[in-house]
Amino acid sequence: MIKVGIVGGTGYTGVELLRLLAQHPQVNVAMITSRSETGVKVCDMYPNLRGHYNTLAFSEPDAKQLGAMDAVFFSTPHGVAHTLAGELLENGTRVIDLSADFRLRDTEEWSRWYGQAHGAPELLQEAVYGLPEMHREKIKNARLIAVPGCYPTSVQLGYLPLLEAGLIDPSQLIADCKSGVTGAGRGAKVGSLLAEASESMKAYGASGHRHLPEISQGLRDIQQSTVGLTFVPHLTPMIRGIHSTLYGQLTADPGDLQALFEQRYADEPFVDVMPAGSHPETRSVKGINTCRLAVHRPNNGNTVVVLSVIDNLVKGASGQAIQNLNLMFGFEENTGLTAPALMP
Amino acid sequence: MIKVGIVGGTGYTGVELLRLLAQHPQVNVAMITSRSETGVKVCDMYPNLRGHYNTLAFSEPDAKQLGAMDAVFFSTPHGVAHTLAGELLENGTRVIDLSADFRLRDTEEWSRWYGQAHGAPELLQEAVYGLPEMHREKIKNARLIAVPGCYPTSVQLGYLPLLEAGLIDPSQLIADCKSGVTGAGRGAKVGSLLAEASESMKAYGASGHRHLPEISQGLRDIQQSTVGLTFVPHLTPMIRGIHSTLYGQLTADPGDLQALFEQRYADEPFVDVMPAGSHPETRSVKGINTCRLAVHRPNNGNTVVVLSVIDNLVKGASGQAIQNLNLMFGFEENTGLTAPALMP
Amino acid sequence: MIKVGIVGGTGYTGVELLRLLAQHPQVNVAMITSRSETGVKVCDMYPNLRGHYNTLAFSEPDAKQLGAMDAVFFSTPHGVAHTLAGELLENGTRVIDLSADFRLRDTEEWSRWYGQAHGAPELLQEAVYGLPEMHREKIKNARLIAVPGCYPTSVQLGYLPLLEAGLIDPSQLIADCKSGVTGAGRGAKVGSLLAEASESMKAYGASGHRHLPEISQGLRDIQQSTVGLTFVPHLTPMIRGIHSTLYGQLTADPGDLQALFEQRYADEPFVDVMPAGSHPETRSVKGINTCRLAVHRPNNGNTVVVLSVIDNLVKGASGQAIQNLNLMFGFEENTGLTAPALMP
Amino acid sequence: MIKVGIVGGTGYTGVELLRLLAQHPQVNVAMITSRSETGVKVCDMYPNLRGHYNTLAFSEPDAKQLGAMDAVFFSTPHGVAHTLAGELLENGTRVIDLSADFRLRDTEEWSRWYGQAHGAPELLQEAVYGLPEMHREKIKNARLIAVPGCYPTSVQLGYLPLLEAGLIDPSQLIADCKSGVTGAGRGAKVGSLLAEASESMKAYGASGHRHLPEISQGLRDIQQSTVGLTFVPHLTPMIRGIHSTLYGQLTADPGDLQALFEQRYADEPFVDVMPAGSHPETRSVKGINTCRLAVHRPNNGNTVVVLSVIDNLVKGASGQAIQNLNLMFGFEENTGLTAPALMP
């Protein structure tokens, strides 16, 4: 049994960590911080947690207390993990950061997209990008994990087999992604009101989104060359889920695409390659850590289409964070992550 | 580890049994039947079950094979359990019926509401109404359980403390209930299409609904006298959840209603009396077996209002069925039913 | 052609006035005010208005300019109309107030519910409660209209025939009301986010809601005696619509309830009594000024149930305001209000 | 005032014709047919029409009676207009077909996609494809109109300026389209239930969809050469609306794309080019005949992205049909189509 803390636990990824960790037999959530909700019990703020965590209350973030944890999750806006991670690591506490603070290796690019100087460039060297399907071994030995973003997870897992096999032109990638509204966080914004976001569909950030450099960096790591990616995210009237529709131009006879995907992910506990011809639904992963994929080659032509679905709060955030924790502490990789999706 | 079978597993209560039992350490689902889907694997029909039940496929309902089970759930339309339950009981198999077949003790009333003769009146004597909060001891020794309907569960649990204490006039009960669309089942009906049922609210069955006699019988059992109940169900544009708003006329000084409710349910693992002044949300029980209650007395007047929420597929059907199974087989009552609700 | 102004046009009732008045052949919206959006064109803020009102922009509220209008609508929070109405009336401008400022005749009661002193008690004498089905003649000659609230409109129209006929006990009324989320306004509140309010149902204000004294006052006006009303509003996961389920206890043989309702509303252009046995859906009035009603007497018993649906933004606010304007200026009562509901 | 008939009026495009034509001052709907609902009044089937069409009832489709109309709309499954159109045209009745019967000029291709022989190849010569933005003059003189499909309308209007200007590679077009569920019609299918389609997103027909050949034919007509189009439709949890996200590869310096789009559609009453940087929402066209477009060139790179939204039942079906009728009969093109969208 290890002791973990959560910094910034009032947002959606924080409560999702609590929901999932309630089922984790090896983890004790000993501390959760929130400046604005100090003293409030988590089960009073989140009624789904009534009957769980009966005494756990939000506290002020205190580096010393956090340093007594075996691991600390950051469910914070960008910039916070920068200021605390170093001290925690020195105390021997592992850090699993769900924010964007350690995702980009290029600090200038980070500053451009996040509008401030990078606060902990000295830690970038050892930060590991927490996509187990690419970096499992590094994760096992990591002290500091940058949990991938939600869009980046779904896009990279979809392109991975094609890029590794060198089958598509990396300069002409198109990722058309659709997300439920929890991707926009729990902040009170007019555009996220039910009355505004329901019964409607729209793109956003078509000319640039913070996840673009993260995806591009990840695809470059696979491809070992520059990539040209057009990424258009869309807001979809649902609570959870990301559906990424990925387009690539074949550069060679791809052979059996279905077999390629099945083999690449044969041993992955959280990637499910669906049967040929399938169209995965986001609801099939509601609440769980699985990414379901299907690959199509319409009309046997030059364009390959990959359909990739995840739950943005689980495989796209808190579930993947726990998957990383499991790897770091030597637990079974799927510990606490075995429930089926809620459907219908 | 016991072996269970599910008869009629293609509907929503069937797949919900599978979802929940996947987390039950003492139960092996050894058989699931469906005439229309024989030979189809459950994980091919329900993609949320991929990675679970990898080999389980629907089979023809066969009494002999079902008789080899320790327990059989019926997730069938009314009339089916009538024809099979007797033979199973003779073989020593326990029967947990999620349909309406054994809920009413009065066969004539049953016939009036269901439009056919009762098919197994000889079993009514021993059928136990599976509401553990009222009949726990009988359930432990039962061979045949009639799992309560979804509306009846939420209404009875809400009225129970008031009626037991003799505080409200039993002749003037009003239950205004709102249900998500899974309450209407998985049949393809125009009225249940997203294009018809979304962005709208309506009552139905205002002049009579099959759950009315079941609720009335249950309330009579509590009250030990006749009851006058007006029950108006409503269709709400959501997938899961029932919100019952219950009205009663006080006949005496009720004292501390909050304390009354808290004491009545202090030892109940699946009834959560919320703090005074609360308004429970259906999403706080999404996917779980809990009923959350709040009691109000507006303006300190003569009318008491109880707010009662459940997930119609869990405490209103499959979860309660498993709770009954746990009691019948001596497992911890909450075995397999411990996950927090999915929220947001 | 008359000139009208709208004060506080950025909220939902403001944009709904614009949407409806775009179809009104006798009205020119010459002015719309908003402190926060001064200078912004309405069609830039509300893309559904692109192609309409191409030059109309929000301006500072200026009493002199507003005084040049034939009529001014207030789509403001409470307290604003108090400060401006008097001066406008002196200038001969008619005032149609969609806020709560002039709905209650008792200033002390107003203060209790709205937490501030009433700002214009001297105008209460001449303010007319703008429910045409009760006060049509007074409205025609009014200078100052208090447009009824959304819940009060649906509840009063439902009880009206029963109370006028003296058929139900006025001391035991129960109004169980369900509203879409636009009823909570366009303010950015966490509880109104799609991620929070979707896929869920809850009551609110069970122990007291600001619409309660307004409804009670209205019912007293019908009944000519005190009323005892229990009013429980609920938040429903849809954008528009109110469904009120109204319960009353019969005090006499009611005779033919269907005929009673049909006769009472035979000449009303915006009340539709549906055929016996109907269950009106809120979507059947989406975007229109109609209230649809159905009356039930379950089991021929003592309780009568009225189902009443409106669009909270139309008959519950902006449409009713225009209906009042039509009456005040001698236009056909349904001018600009003739389109069918949007369904599906 | 002209007399029109509607064949097959029980589906969503039929009721939408009725909703829109209720506002059309020059059209009298004299006849509506439905085999299954003969004798039923339209306002009994569609409660939003109560107060409109009070006497209009469904009748058997009778060629002679239909032949007395000035124009007949077909809101039927494919194959029906084939059998009736010829006789109507001989009688001098204009035919506006909302089905796919006359959309494809190649009868073999039609047969491949619709699984039956083309029933009226002799009429294809004179059938006009009813996209006014391309074929306005032909439409004015047409006797037989093939109203474009919903996806084809949104895709063609988005690509039109780029293809006409020869700016993008016609062999590498990608149309990623998202539709509300009314696109699947009013048939009772499990996949269209609220409980199945809500809170989820999925692609369908990734390997081939009936609208693909129609779009390709339309784009070829613009481009005057073959096109290579990848078209992936998606089901979105909303009632109405199509959002098409269109990708093209620039083959030349495009200059000012915004100006190109604005100039191309400057005189079009139903195409709205939004300001540079916009992201149109489907709700901004809910219930209206407008297509709103925005054009983006991310990162000033080689890929151009067009965002195109319509209401699938209006500009994607019934509204466009009426726009065609207006052109054919010399009415103002926007007659009956001037209301703003319903938002929120």
Side-chain angles (χ1 to χ4, degrees):
Chain A
M1 190 73 112
I2 61 171
K3 281 191 301 179
V4 308
I6 300 172
V7 179
T10 60
Y12 288 140
T13 58
V15 64
E16 189 72 356
L17 279 170
L18 291 173
R19 183 182 72 83
L20 292 167
L21 290 173
Q23 299 296 96
H24 197 299
Q26 314 271 13
V27 169
N28 171 27
V29 181
M31 187 176 180
I32 186 164
T33 79
S34 162
R35 285 223 154 74
S36 61
E37 304 291 335
T38 297
V40 175
K41 290 205 288 183
V42 297
C43 62
D44 286 347
M45 182 159 180
Y46 291 112
N48 65 322
L49 299 179
R50 289 175 62 86
H52 307 265
Y53 304 106
N54 287 327
T55 59
L56 185 68
F58 294 106
S59 59
E60 289 278 344
D62 177 278
K64 192 176 288 177
Q65 288 179 287
L66 288 167
M69 302 290 122
D70 296 296
V72 167
F73 295 97
F74 282 86
S75 294
T76 43
H78 61 269
V80 178
H82 282 173
T83 68
L84 281 168
E87 189 174 346
L88 293 175
L89 292 175
E90 280 174 28
N91 282 330
T93 298
R94 317 260 185 115
V95 171
I96 301 174
D97 178 22
L98 286 80
S99 85
D101 277 11
F102 298 102
R103 290 183 193 155
L104 299 186
R105 289 190 299 268
D106 182 333
T107 56
E108 283 185 30
E109 191 159 33
W110 194 91
S111 296
R112 249 197 324 277
W113 286 97
Y114 292 93
Q116 62 189 76
H118 196 284
E122 71 283 1
L123 297 177
L124 280 174
Q125 184 80 20
E126 75 160 306
V128 173
Y129 189 69
L131 193 63
E133 292 77 8
M134 280 197 65
H135 305 296
R136 181 169 284 108
E137 293 311 311
K138 280 191 190 167
I139 291 167
K140 288 180 181 171
N141 301 305
R143 300 195 310 158
L144 171 57
I145 295 286
V147 180
C150 49
Y151 287 126
T153 296
S154 71
V155 174
Q156 290 175 79
L157 292 177
Y159 275 131
L160 190 56
L162 296 168
L163 289 175
E164 282 182 348
L167 287 177
I168 55 172
D169 180 352
S171 74
Q172 280 204 39
L173 305 177
I174 290 175
D176 188 292
C177 300
K178 301 90 178 167
S179 174
V181 297
T182 47
R186 196 166 168 270
K189 284 166 283 191
V190 170
S192 301
L193 296 176
L194 193 157
E196 303 281 323
S198 182
E199 282 299 306
S200 194
M201 179 97 197
K202 68 165 180 176
Y204 64 101
S207 37
H209 183 282
R210 285 170 174 177
H211 281 176
L212 178 60
E214 179 187 344
I215 303 173
S216 295
Q217 172 184 284
L219 297 182
R220 270 198 314 272
D221 288 351
I222 304 168
Q223 176 66 25
Q224 308 297 343
S225 76
T226 61
V227 298
L229 171 70
T230 300
F231 165 57
V232 181
H234 298 74
L235 192 66
T236 308
M238 58 189 187
I239 298 174
R240 289 166 179 253
I242 283 183
H243 187 294
S244 291
T245 313
L246 309 173
Y247 301 89
Q249 300 302 314
L250 291 167
T251 52
D253 178 348
D256 185 342
L257 286 167
Q258 181 70 20
L260 175 76
F261 273 70
E262 289 181 359
Q263 285 157 19
R264 176 57 181 83
Y265 290 124
D267 297 328
E268 287 297 339
F270 292 114
V271 181
D272 174 27
V273 178
M274 297 191 67
S278 294
H279 297 88
E281 305 170 83
T282 61
R283 67 181 184 134
S284 77
V285 295
K286 191 158 48 181
I288 67 168
N289 199 46
T290 301
C291 173
R292 296 198 207 275
L293 297 173
V295 57
H296 291 257
R297 189 183 172 194
N299 219 11
N300 234 16
N302 201 42
T303 303
V304 59
V305 180
V306 182
L307 312 173
S308 169
V309 302
I310 61 169
D311 184 322
N312 55 305
L313 294 179
V314 191
K315 185 63 176 169
S318 305
Q320 187 145 264
I322 294 169
Q323 185 182 359
N324 275 278
L325 176 110
N326 287 340
L327 289 167
M328 294 164 86
F329 286 86
F331 306 142
E332 280 292 309
E333 191 166 340
N334 68 355
T335 310
L337 300 170
T338 57
L342 188 75
M343 187 179 123
Chain B
M1 190 74 113
I2 60 171
K3 280 191 302 177
V4 307
I6 300 172
V7 179
T10 60
Y12 289 141
T13 57
V15 64
E16 190 71 354
L17 280 170
L18 291 173
R19 182 182 74 82
L20 292 166
L21 290 174
Q23 299 296 96
H24 198 299
Q26 314 271 15
V27 168
N28 171 29
V29 181
M31 188 176 180
I32 186 163
T33 77
S34 162
R35 286 223 155 74
S36 61
E37 305 291 334
T38 297
V40 175
K41 290 205 289 184
V42 297
C43 62
D44 286 346
M45 182 159 182
Y46 291 113
N48 66 323
L49 298 180
R50 289 175 61 85
H52 308 264
Y53 306 105
N54 288 324
T55 58
L56 185 69
F58 294 106
S59 59
E60 290 279 344
D62 177 278
K64 191 176 290 177
Q65 287 179 289
L66 288 167
M69 302 291 121
D70 295 296
V72 167
F73 295 98
F74 282 86
S75 294
T76 42
H78 60 269
V80 179
H82 281 172
T83 67
L84 281 166
E87 189 174 346
L88 293 175
L89 292 174
E90 281 174 28
N91 282 329
T93 297
R94 318 262 186 114
V95 171
I96 302 174
D97 178 22
L98 285 81
S99 85
D101 278 11
F102 298 103
R103 291 184 192 155
L104 299 185
R105 289 191 298 268
D106 181 333
T107 55
E108 282 185 31
E109 191 158 34
W110 195 92
S111 296
R112 248 198 325 278
W113 286 95
Y114 293 93
Q116 62 189 77
H118 195 285
E122 72 283 3
L123 298 176
L124 281 174
Q125 182 82 18
E126 76 159 306
V128 174
Y129 189 67
L131 193 64
E133 293 77 8
M134 281 197 65
H135 305 296
R136 183 170 282 109
E137 294 312 311
K138 279 191 191 167
I139 292 167
K140 288 180 180 172
N141 301 306
R143 299 194 312 157
L144 170 59
I145 295 286
V147 180
C150 48
Y151 288 124
T153 296
S154 70
V155 174
Q156 290 175 80
L157 292 177
Y159 276 130
L160 189 57
L162 295 168
L163 289 175
E164 282 182 348
L167 288 176
I168 55 173
D169 179 353
S171 74
Q172 280 204 39
L173 305 176
I174 290 175
D176 188 290
C177 300
K178 301 89 177 168
S179 174
V181 296
T182 48
R186 196 166 168 268
K189 284 166 281 190
V190 169
S192 300
L193 296 177
L194 193 156
E196 303 282 323
S198 183
E199 284 298 308
S200 195
M201 180 95 196
K202 68 166 182 178
Y204 63 100
S207 36
H209 183 281
R210 286 170 174 176
H211 282 176
L212 178 61
E214 179 187 344
I215 303 173
S216 296
Q217 172 184 283
L219 298 181
R220 269 198 315 271
D221 288 351
I222 305 168
Q223 175 66 26
Q224 308 297 343
S225 75
T226 61
V227 299
L229 170 70
T230 301
F231 165 57
V232 181
H234 298 74
L235 192 65
T236 309
M238 58 189 187
I239 299 174
R240 287 167 181 254
I242 282 182
H243 187 295
S244 290
T245 313
L246 310 174
Y247 301 89
Q249 300 302 314
L250 290 166
T251 52
D253 178 349
D256 186 342
L257 286 168
Q258 181 70 21
L260 175 77
F261 273 70
E262 288 181 1
Q263 285 158 19
R264 176 57 179 85
Y265 290 124
D267 297 328
E268 285 298 337
F270 292 114
V271 181
D272 174 27
V273 178
M274 296 190 69
S278 295
H279 298 88
E281 305 170 83
T282 61
R283 65 180 186 134
S284 76
V285 295
K286 191 157 48 180
I288 68 169
N289 199 46
T290 301
C291 173
R292 296 199 206 276
L293 297 173
V295 58
H296 291 257
R297 188 184 172 193
N299 221 10
N300 234 15
N302 202 42
T303 304
V304 60
V305 181
V306 181
L307 312 174
S308 169
V309 302
I310 61 168
D311 183 322
N312 56 305
L313 294 180
V314 192
K315 185 64 175 168
S318 305
Q320 187 146 264
I322 294 169
Q323 185 183 359
N324 275 278
L325 175 111
N326 287 340
L327 289 167
M328 294 163 86
F329 285 87
F331 306 141
E332 280 294 308
E333 191 165 341
N334 67 356
T335 310
L337 299 170
T338 58
L342 188 75
M343 184 181 125
Chain C
M1 188 75 111
I2 61 170
K3 281 191 302 179
V4 308
I6 300 172
V7 179
T10 59
Y12 288 141
T13 59
V15 64
E16 189 71 355
L17 280 170
L18 291 173
R19 182 182 75 83
L20 292 166
L21 290 173
Q23 299 295 97
H24 197 298
Q26 314 271 14
V27 168
N28 171 28
V29 180
M31 187 175 182
I32 185 163
T33 77
S34 162
R35 285 221 155 76
S36 61
E37 304 292 333
T38 297
V40 175
K41 291 205 289 184
V42 296
C43 62
D44 286 347
M45 182 158 181
Y46 290 113
N48 65 323
L49 299 178
R50 289 176 61 85
H52 307 266
Y53 306 104
N54 288 324
T55 58
L56 185 68
F58 294 106
S59 59
E60 289 278 344
D62 176 279
K64 192 175 289 176
Q65 286 179 290
L66 287 167
M69 302 291 121
D70 296 296
V72 167
F73 294 98
F74 283 86
S75 294
T76 43
H78 61 269
V80 178
H82 282 172
T83 69
L84 281 167
E87 188 175 345
L88 293 175
L89 293 175
E90 281 175 28
N91 282 329
T93 297
R94 318 260 186 116
V95 171
I96 302 174
D97 178 22
L98 285 80
S99 85
D101 277 10
F102 299 102
R103 290 183 194 156
L104 298 186
R105 289 190 300 269
D106 181 332
T107 55
E108 282 185 31
E109 189 159 34
W110 194 92
S111 296
R112 247 197 328 276
W113 286 96
Y114 292 93
Q116 61 189 75
H118 196 284
E122 71 282 3
L123 297 177
L124 280 175
Q125 182 82 20
E126 74 160 308
V128 174
Y129 190 68
L131 193 64
E133 292 77 8
M134 281 198 64
H135 305 295
R136 181 169 283 108
E137 292 312 311
K138 281 191 190 166
I139 291 168
K140 287 180 180 169
N141 300 307
R143 300 194 311 156
L144 170 58
I145 295 286
V147 180
C150 48
Y151 287 125
T153 297
S154 70
V155 174
Q156 289 174 79
L157 292 177
Y159 276 130
L160 190 56
L162 295 169
L163 289 175
E164 283 181 348
L167 289 175
I168 56 174
D169 179 352
S171 73
Q172 280 204 40
L173 305 176
I174 290 176
D176 188 292
C177 300
K178 301 92 178 167
S179 174
V181 295
T182 48
R186 195 166 168 271
K189 282 165 285 190
V190 169
S192 301
L193 297 177
L194 193 155
E196 302 283 325
S198 182
E199 284 299 309
S200 195
M201 180 97 197
K202 68 165 181 177
Y204 64 101
S207 37
H209 183 282
R210 285 171 173 174
H211 282 176
L212 177 61
E214 179 186 345
I215 302 173
S216 295
Q217 172 183 284
L219 297 181
R220 272 198 312 272
D221 289 352
I222 304 168
Q223 175 67 23
Q224 308 298 343
S225 75
T226 61
V227 299
L229 171 69
T230 300
F231 165 57
V232 181
H234 298 74
L235 191 65
T236 309
M238 59 188 188
I239 298 174
R240 290 166 179 253
I242 283 182
H243 187 293
S244 290
T245 313
L246 310 173
Y247 301 88
Q249 299 303 314
L250 291 166
T251 52
D253 178 348
D256 185 342
L257 287 167
Q258 180 70 20
L260 175 77
F261 273 70
E262 288 182 0
Q263 284 158 20
R264 175 57 181 85
Y265 290 125
D267 297 328
E268 286 299 337
F270 292 114
V271 181
D272 174 28
V273 178
M274 297 191 67
S278 294
H279 298 88
E281 305 170 83
T282 61
R283 67 182 185 133
S284 76
V285 295
K286 190 158 49 180
I288 68 169
N289 199 47
T290 301
C291 173
R292 297 200 206 276
L293 296 173
V295 58
H296 291 257
R297 189 184 172 193
N299 218 11
N300 234 16
N302 201 42
T303 304
V304 59
V305 181
V306 182
L307 311 174
S308 169
V309 301
I310 61 169
D311 184 323
N312 56 305
L313 294 179
V314 191
K315 185 62 174 170
S318 305
Q320 187 145 266
I322 295 169
Q323 185 182 359
N324 275 279
L325 176 112
N326 288 339
L327 288 167
M328 293 164 87
F329 286 87
F331 307 141
E332 280 292 310
E333 191 166 341
N334 68 356
T335 310
L337 299 170
T338 57
L342 188 74
M343 187 181 122
Chain D
M1 190 72 114
I2 60 171
K3 281 190 302 180
V4 308
I6 300 172
V7 179
T10 59
Y12 288 141
T13 59
V15 64
E16 189 71 356
L17 279 170
L18 291 172
R19 183 182 73 84
L20 293 166
L21 290 172
Q23 298 296 96
H24 197 299
Q26 313 271 14
V27 168
N28 171 28
V29 181
M31 187 176 181
I32 187 163
T33 77
S34 161
R35 286 223 154 76
S36 61
E37 304 291 334
T38 297
V40 175
K41 291 205 288 183
V42 297
C43 62
D44 286 346
M45 181 158 182
Y46 290 113
N48 65 323
L49 299 178
R50 289 175 61 87
H52 307 265
Y53 306 105
N54 288 325
T55 58
L56 185 68
F58 294 106
S59 59
E60 289 278 343
D62 176 279
K64 192 176 287 177
Q65 287 179 289
L66 288 167
M69 302 291 122
D70 296 297
V72 167
F73 295 98
F74 283 86
S75 295
T76 41
H78 61 268
V80 178
H82 281 172
T83 68
L84 281 167
E87 188 174 346
L88 293 175
L89 292 174
E90 280 174 29
N91 282 331
T93 298
R94 317 262 186 116
V95 171
I96 301 174
D97 178 22
L98 285 80
S99 85
D101 278 11
F102 298 103
R103 291 183 192 155
L104 299 185
R105 289 190 299 268
D106 181 333
T107 55
E108 283 185 30
E109 191 159 32
W110 195 92
S111 296
R112 244 194 331 274
W113 286 95
Y114 292 93
Q116 61 189 79
H118 196 284
E122 71 284 1
L123 297 177
L124 281 174
Q125 182 81 20
E126 76 158 306
V128 173
Y129 189 68
L131 193 64
E133 293 76 9
M134 281 197 64
H135 305 297
R136 182 169 283 107
E137 293 313 310
K138 279 191 191 167
I139 292 167
K140 287 180 182 171
N141 302 305
R143 301 194 310 159
L144 170 58
I145 295 287
V147 180
C150 48
Y151 287 125
T153 296
S154 70
V155 174
Q156 289 175 81
L157 292 177
Y159 275 130
L160 190 57
L162 296 168
L163 288 175
E164 282 182 350
L167 288 176
I168 55 172
D169 179 353
S171 75
Q172 280 204 38
L173 305 175
I174 290 174
D176 188 290
C177 299
K178 300 90 178 168
S179 175
V181 296
T182 47
R186 197 167 168 270
K189 283 166 283 193
V190 169
S192 300
L193 296 176
L194 193 156
E196 303 281 323
S198 183
E199 282 300 308
S200 195
M201 178 95 197
K202 68 166 182 177
Y204 64 100
S207 38
H209 182 281
R210 284 169 174 175
H211 282 176
L212 178 61
E214 179 186 345
I215 303 173
S216 295
Q217 172 183 282
L219 298 181
R220 271 199 313 271
D221 289 351
I222 304 168
Q223 176 65 24
Q224 309 297 342
S225 75
T226 61
V227 299
L229 170 70
T230 301
F231 165 57
V232 181
H234 299 73
L235 192 65
T236 308
M238 59 189 187
I239 299 174
R240 287 166 180 254
I242 283 182
H243 187 295
S244 291
T245 312
L246 310 173
Y247 301 89
Q249 299 303 313
L250 290 167
T251 52
D253 179 349
D256 186 341
L257 285 168
Q258 181 71 20
L260 175 77
F261 272 71
E262 288 182 0
Q263 285 158 20
R264 176 57 181 84
Y265 290 124
D267 297 328
E268 285 298 337
F270 291 114
V271 182
D272 174 27
V273 178
M274 297 191 68
S278 294
H279 297 89
E281 305 170 85
T282 60
R283 67 183 184 133
S284 76
V285 295
K286 191 158 48 181
I288 68 170
N289 199 46
T290 301
C291 173
R292 297 200 207 274
L293 297 173
V295 58
H296 291 257
R297 188 184 172 194
N299 219 10
N300 234 15
N302 201 44
T303 304
V304 60
V305 180
V306 182
L307 311 174
S308 170
V309 301
I310 61 170
D311 184 322
N312 56 305
L313 295 179
V314 192
K315 184 64 176 169
S318 305
Q320 187 146 264
I322 294 169
Q323 186 182 358
N324 274 279
L325 176 112
N326 287 341
L327 288 167
M328 294 164 86
F329 285 88
F331 306 141
E332 280 293 308
E333 192 165 340
N334 67 356
T335 311
L337 300 170
T338 57
L342 188 75
M343 186 181 124

